[in-house]
Amino acid sequence: QVQLVQSGAEVKKPGASVKVSCKASGYTFTAYYMHWVRQAPGQGLEWMGRINPNSGGTNYAQKFQGRVTMTRDTSISTAYMELTRLTSDDTAVYYCAKNIAVPGAHWFDPWGQGTLVTVSS
Amino acid sequence: EIVLTQSPATLSLSPGERATLSCRASQSVSGYLAWYQEKPGQAPRLLIYDASNRATGIPARFSGSGSGTDFTLTISSLEPEDFAVYYCQQRSDWPLTFGGGTKVEIK
């Protein structure tokens, strides 16, 4: 079955960077966009951007432009999301989510289990 | 960006009752709207996409309707496992955006 397994929780200091991984299995990794979504404690969902695992092309939400980098390693079916210059506002659960198998449809299914990133001095 | 406003914020119902959740967009998103269910400690799960299409494995008691700016998620008869938070999401324009969520709680 399709599965996305993310890396473990991280604690970072303000100003640092974090890199979260998302290992995919059960489908052809390069065939579907991978998205990243975050959720601050007690808050709603916020789309950060997406990567085309085939080409490596990315689209980022303007809010994160200049601070986020999404990459992938097709040899191990893994996507990465790196966020730099962290502040306490970046404390959140970060999810990777696979684009569904409908052409042009940016809906997310399934999602990874989430990675809690805590930014604290 | 397109703002999605969900109402009510909280819906208090009993098992077996019908739930009606609303999502309103700040501008037309045509039929490009999805609904997700989120339970505590779990990742969100896709329920409905393109306003009215059930995702794989989603029970028939979940249905979606609407177009343009007004959308509805209906749960025909609440099961105990349906008490959760529900989010809508649009893909009509970038950035992709989510609503603030509706919590369906046990009355």
Side-chain angles (χ1 to χ4, degrees), chain B residues 5-74:
Chain B
T5 302
Q6 292 188 239
S7 61
T10 304
L11 199 51
S12 299
L13 295 168
S14 301
E17 289 193 291
R18 182 184 190 89
T20 303
L21 289 67
S22 174
C23 177
R24 177 163 290 178
S26 59
Q27 64 190 75
S28 176
V29 298
S30 186
Y32 300 134
L33 192 104
W35 292 92
Y36 297 84
Q37 177 193 66
E38 185 182 45
K39 297 180 181 179
Q42 297 184 20
R45 176 175 70 147
L46 178 66
L47 299 175
I48 301 287
Y49 65 93
D50 289 346
S52 60
N53 295 314
R54 271 191 303 277
T56 303
I58 301 303
R61 65 180 181 273
F62 291 93
S63 63
S65 63
S67 66
T69 60
D70 291 296
F71 298 84
T72 301
L73 173 70
T74 301

Side-chain angles (χ1 to χ4, degrees), chain A residues 33-84:
Chain A
Y33 279 99
M34 190 73 78
H35 299 258
W36 290 87
V37 177
R38 76 177 187 179
Q39 185 172 39
Q43 302 300 309
L45 301 164
E46 183 174 34
W47 180 79
M48 299 179 69
R50 66 170 183 169
I51 183 168
N52 180 333
N54 187 43
S55 67
T58 55
N59 300 98
Y60 302 138
Q62 187 163 7
K63 175 177 179 176
F64 300 101
Q65 287 275 3
R67 280 210 305 142
V68 69
T69 303
M70 296 176 188
T71 58
R72 91 290 189 219
D73 184 338
T74 58
S75 69
I76 55 172
S77 299
T78 299
Y80 302 91
M81 186 284 300
E82 183 174 25
L83 191 62
T84 62

Side-chain angles (χ1 to χ4, degrees), chain A residues 76-110:
Chain A
I76 55 172
S77 299
T78 299
Y80 302 91
M81 186 284 300
E82 183 174 25
L83 191 62
T84 62
R85 304 195 302 275
L86 294 169
T87 72
S88 57
D89 289 342
D90 295 314
T91 294
V93 175
Y94 290 77
Y95 293 102
C96 60
K98 171 187 164 292
N99 210 94
I100 69 168
V102 174
H106 302 302
W107 311 126
F108 315 134
D109 184 54

